[in-house]
Amino acid sequence: MTTQDAPPTNPSKSFARAWEDIRTGVRSTELWGHLGWQDIKQRYRRSVIGPLWITLGMAVTAIGLGLLYSQLLGQQISTFLPYITVGFIVWNFIVGCVIEGTETFIRNEGLIKHLPAPLTVYALRTVWRQTLMMLHNLLVYVVLVAIFFPTLSEPYRLQDGGHQHPGLSWLVLLAIPAFLLLAFNGVWVTLFFGIISTRYRDIPQVINAFIQLVFFGTPIVWTTDTLLRFSGGDPGTASWRVLIAELNPMYHYVEIIRAPLIGNEQSWHHWAVVGGFTVFGWILAVVALRNFRARIPYWV
Amino acid sequence: MVSIDVWNASVDFPIFDAKSRSLKKAVLGKVGGHIGTEGRVPVIEALKDINLSLKTGDRVALVGHNGAGKSTLLRLLSGIYEPITGGSKIVGKIAPVFDLGVGMDPEISGIENIMIRGLFLGMNRKEMEKRVDDIAEFSELGDFLQMPLRAYSTGMRVRLALGIVTSIDPEILILDEGIGAVDAAFMDKARERLIDLVKRSGLLVFASHQDDLLLEMCDTAIWMDGGRMKMHGGLREVLTAYKGRDPYENLSPEMLERLGVAAGGEAR
């Protein structure tokens, strides 16, 4: 307190510094781009078909479950298989961001302690890696659409007595902004969960315990039509069941991408919910970044 | 213009997994910082009351015994640790080298490691691609650069790391003692490049136990003891106070001659 030009307060905790972290982090595109791509190459190094294993793994899961559940729930394979596949692809991206997000800073401990770099770089590394995996997975979708295009491009129902869906159209392009919005959410998820998990190492375990449950609660292997089935189409008695899906934010995230990609009927309320969560989540992440950004190197 | 300013900075580490029961008595040993136990989580007070102002042209040596806070201070000066209390302001492009091996991934090739390290140090791909040949030549690794790093011997890793570090143009260079742990033969070769690097950089802070390296590269010194700056002044007087004898006493005649030449300034 003797030096005259000393700053009056601790300057580490300020929104300006948090914003600076995000700004410089985002601008280091070469750095996180390279690191994320490196992660993918790394994971499949020395395997013969390399990152195609991502694609193959998704194909096996989606097609296997698609065949199984279409029989269990009595649904058309030609429309249900693309439905379950896209659901899985989006879900994998979300789960990847959440689970690997919790480990973002913990796994980069060596780098964080040895090289000064914005924390956002590590978050973007994680999200970019998930994006690359998703692009690999989308190959499965492309193949399925090519095969089932005749049925998907006509109006169809996922389930007898369910919603009539308009079929594939130029609206498929909406999946692009939808994905950008999803990835944008991935960054706050990674930052926020990364920060709290670095401090409280129980958080990743808690999330791991619940994520499976959320998966089964999200309409991915089942459809919202199923919720209406028992009411015989009467929306009054079905309303509380519909809440199972509607109150689950994951449903809305999945739906904004899935609906355009398989030509389902789209509803703007999904976008509104996702938009709300985006704002809410980013506020959380920025506040966490402001308060704990400088603490991360001490915690890892 | 590059500068590092630190005001009343202190750094303490929370140790979340330490049993505070076993630390009930505050320990103040000869090695390491003070371990505080006031809070629920034990903390190690690694640095206290650091006031420092460095600017372009400063060549600072950092001395002190193990656990005195040298590496922590270097991390504070690199901006990796932001002070818990007090403040710090760093202006300039920083290249810290704490441990030659860290940031190197054993599973990827030498070339890819060069690229990642360079990107972290603020270079872009093009700039690093230009430097690859230079690094290959200096490190004498040749085609080995295509091999994954796990196939390298320890010496080869050090060569690669030194090659990367000395090929960049940092404004602020922060070197930790690890760099002195290079075998003598290669160090002779690396010395020229290191000194050249130091000249290119605007500001140097170098922690080392090797007097000859310090004498060659630095002109002022900081003596760290128990997380505090015990002494800050001319290199020779700080080293004399720290070691209890004049560092020039047991230098070889060649070394003295080299330092004399270096002091003259022109010869190199």
Side-chain angles (χ1 to χ4, degrees), chain B residues 240-268:
Chain B
T240 309
Y242 170 57
K243 300 249 167 176
R245 57 180 161 72
D246 190 2
Y248 282 79
E249 260 173 33
N250 35 7
L251 286 179
S252 63
E254 306 91 71
M255 188 65 209
L256 279 174
E257 190 192 339
R258 190 157 58 196
L259 288 176
V261 170
E266 305 307 318
R268 189 164 278 114

Coordinates of all heavy atoms in Angstrom, one line a residue, chain B residues 240-268:
Chain B
T240 N 27.2 -12.5 -4.2 CA 28.2 -12.6 -3.1 C 27.5 -12.7 -1.7 O 27.8 -13.6 -0.9 CB 29.0 -11.3 -3.0 OG1 29.5 -11.0 -4.3 CG2 30.2 -11.4 -2.0
A241 N 26.4 -12.0 -1.6 CA 25.6 -12.1 -0.3 C 24.9 -13.5 -0.2 O 24.9 -14.1 0.9 CB 24.6 -11.0 -0.2
Y242 N 24.4 -13.9 -1.3 CA 23.7 -15.2 -1.3 C 24.6 -16.4 -1.0 O 24.3 -17.3 -0.3 CB 22.9 -15.4 -2.6 CG 22.3 -16.7 -2.8 CD1 21.4 -17.2 -2.0 CD2 22.7 -17.5 -4.0 CE1 20.8 -18.5 -2.2 CE2 22.1 -18.7 -4.2 CZ 21.2 -19.2 -3.3 OH 20.6 -20.4 -3.5
K243 N 25.8 -16.4 -1.7 CA 26.7 -17.5 -1.7 C 27.7 -17.4 -0.5 O 28.3 -18.3 -0.1 CB 27.5 -17.6 -3.0 CG 26.6 -17.9 -4.2 CD 26.8 -19.2 -4.7 CE 25.7 -19.5 -5.7 NZ 25.8 -20.8 -6.4
G244 N 27.8 -16.1 0.0 CA 28.8 -15.9 1.0 C 30.2 -15.7 0.5 O 31.2 -15.7 1.3
R245 N 30.3 -15.7 -0.8 CA 31.7 -15.4 -1.4 C 31.5 -14.8 -2.8 O 30.4 -14.9 -3.4 CB 32.5 -16.7 -1.5 CG 31.8 -17.8 -2.3 CD 32.6 -19.1 -2.4 NE 31.7 -20.2 -2.8 CZ 31.2 -20.4 -4.0 NH1 31.4 -19.5 -5.0 NH2 30.4 -21.4 -4.2
D246 N 32.5 -14.3 -3.3 CA 32.5 -13.6 -4.6 C 32.3 -14.7 -5.7 O 33.2 -15.6 -5.8 CB 33.8 -12.8 -4.8 CG 33.7 -11.9 -6.0 OD1 32.6 -11.9 -6.7 OD2 34.6 -11.2 -6.3
P247 N 31.3 -14.5 -6.6 CA 31.1 -15.6 -7.6 C 32.3 -15.6 -8.6 O 32.5 -16.6 -9.3 CB 29.8 -15.1 -8.3 CG 29.7 -13.7 -8.0 CD 30.3 -13.5 -6.6
Y248 N 33.1 -14.6 -8.7 CA 34.1 -14.6 -9.7 C 35.3 -15.4 -9.2 O 36.2 -15.7 -10.0 CB 34.6 -13.1 -10.0 CG 33.7 -12.4 -10.9 CD1 32.5 -11.9 -10.4 CD2 34.0 -12.3 -12.3 CE1 31.6 -11.2 -11.3 CE2 33.1 -11.7 -13.1 CZ 31.9 -11.1 -12.6 OH 31.0 -10.5 -13.5
E249 N 35.3 -15.7 -7.9 CA 36.5 -16.4 -7.3 C 36.9 -17.7 -8.1 O 38.0 -17.9 -8.5 CB 36.2 -16.8 -5.9 CG 36.9 -15.8 -4.9 CD 36.4 -16.1 -3.5 OE1 36.2 -17.3 -3.2 OE2 36.3 -15.1 -2.7
N250 N 35.9 -18.6 -8.1 CA 36.3 -19.9 -8.7 C 35.8 -20.1 -10.1 O 35.3 -21.2 -10.5 CB 35.8 -21.1 -7.8 CG 34.5 -20.8 -7.1 OD1 33.9 -19.7 -7.4 ND2 34.1 -21.6 -6.2
L251 N 35.9 -19.1 -10.9 CA 35.6 -19.3 -12.3 C 36.9 -19.6 -13.1 O 38.0 -19.2 -12.7 CB 35.0 -18.0 -12.9 CG 33.6 -17.6 -12.6 CD1 33.1 -16.3 -13.2 CD2 32.6 -18.8 -13.0
S252 N 36.8 -20.4 -14.1 CA 38.0 -20.7 -14.9 C 38.5 -19.5 -15.6 O 37.7 -18.6 -15.9 CB 37.6 -21.8 -15.9 OG 36.7 -21.3 -16.8
P253 N 39.8 -19.5 -16.0 CA 40.3 -18.3 -16.7 C 39.6 -18.1 -18.0 O 39.3 -16.9 -18.4 CB 41.8 -18.7 -16.9 CG 42.1 -19.8 -15.9 CD 40.8 -20.5 -15.6
E254 N 39.2 -19.2 -18.7 CA 38.5 -19.0 -20.0 C 37.2 -18.2 -19.8 O 36.8 -17.3 -20.5 CB 38.2 -20.3 -20.7 CG 39.4 -21.2 -20.9 CD 39.6 -22.2 -19.7 OE1 38.8 -23.1 -19.6 OE2 40.6 -22.0 -19.0
M255 N 36.5 -18.7 -18.7 CA 35.2 -18.1 -18.4 C 35.4 -16.6 -18.1 O 34.6 -15.7 -18.6 CB 34.7 -18.8 -17.2 CG 33.2 -18.4 -16.9 SD 32.1 -19.0 -18.1 CE 30.8 -17.7 -17.9
L256 N 36.4 -16.3 -17.3 CA 36.7 -14.9 -16.9 C 37.0 -14.1 -18.2 O 36.5 -13.0 -18.4 CB 37.8 -14.8 -16.0 CG 37.5 -15.1 -14.5 CD1 38.8 -15.1 -13.7 CD2 36.5 -14.0 -14.0
E257 N 37.7 -14.7 -19.1 CA 38.1 -14.0 -20.3 C 36.8 -13.7 -21.1 O 36.6 -12.6 -21.6 CB 39.1 -14.9 -21.1 CG 39.7 -14.1 -22.3 CD 40.4 -15.0 -23.2 OE1 40.8 -16.2 -22.7 OE2 40.6 -14.7 -24.4
R258 N 36.0 -14.8 -21.2 CA 34.7 -14.6 -22.0 C 33.9 -13.5 -21.4 O 33.3 -12.7 -22.1 CB 34.0 -15.9 -22.0 CG 32.8 -15.9 -23.0 CD 32.4 -17.2 -23.5 NE 32.0 -18.1 -22.4 CZ 31.9 -19.4 -22.5 NH1 32.2 -20.0 -23.6 NH2 31.5 -20.1 -21.5
L259 N 33.7 -13.5 -20.1 CA 32.9 -12.5 -19.4 C 33.5 -11.1 -19.7 O 32.8 -10.1 -19.9 CB 32.8 -12.8 -17.9 CG 31.9 -13.9 -17.5 CD1 32.0 -14.2 -16.0 CD2 30.5 -13.7 -18.0
G260 N 34.9 -11.1 -19.6 CA 35.5 -9.8 -19.8 C 35.2 -9.3 -21.2 O 34.8 -8.1 -21.4
V261 N 35.3 -10.2 -22.2 CA 34.9 -9.8 -23.6 C 33.5 -9.4 -23.7 O 33.2 -8.4 -24.3 CB 35.2 -11.0 -24.5 CG1 34.7 -10.7 -25.9 CG2 36.7 -11.3 -24.6
A262 N 32.6 -10.2 -23.0 CA 31.2 -9.8 -23.0 C 31.0 -8.5 -22.4 O 30.2 -7.7 -22.9 CB 30.4 -10.9 -22.3
A263 N 31.7 -8.2 -21.4 CA 31.5 -6.9 -20.7 C 32.0 -5.8 -21.7 O 31.4 -4.7 -21.7 CB 32.3 -6.8 -19.4
G264 N 33.1 -6.0 -22.4 CA 33.6 -5.1 -23.4 C 32.5 -4.8 -24.4 O 32.4 -3.7 -25.0
G265 N 31.7 -5.8 -24.7 CA 30.5 -5.6 -25.6 C 30.7 -5.9 -27.0 O 29.8 -6.5 -27.7
E266 N 31.8 -5.6 -27.6 CA 31.9 -5.6 -29.1 C 32.2 -7.0 -29.7 O 31.7 -7.4 -30.7 CB 33.1 -4.6 -29.6 CG 33.0 -3.2 -29.1 CD 31.6 -2.6 -29.4 OE1 31.1 -2.8 -30.5 OE2 31.0 -2.0 -28.5
A267 N 33.1 -7.7 -29.0 CA 33.8 -8.8 -29.6 C 32.8 -9.8 -30.3 O 33.2 -10.4 -31.3 CB 34.6 -9.5 -28.6
R268 N 31.6 -10.0 -29.7 CA 30.8 -11.1 -30.2 C 30.2 -10.9 -31.6 O 29.4 -10.3 -32.0 CB 29.8 -11.6 -29.2 CG 29.1 -12.9 -29.7 CD 28.3 -13.5 -28.5 NE 29.2 -14.3 -27.7 CZ 29.5 -13.9 -26.4 NH1 28.9 -12.9 -25.9 NH2 30.3 -14.7 -25.7

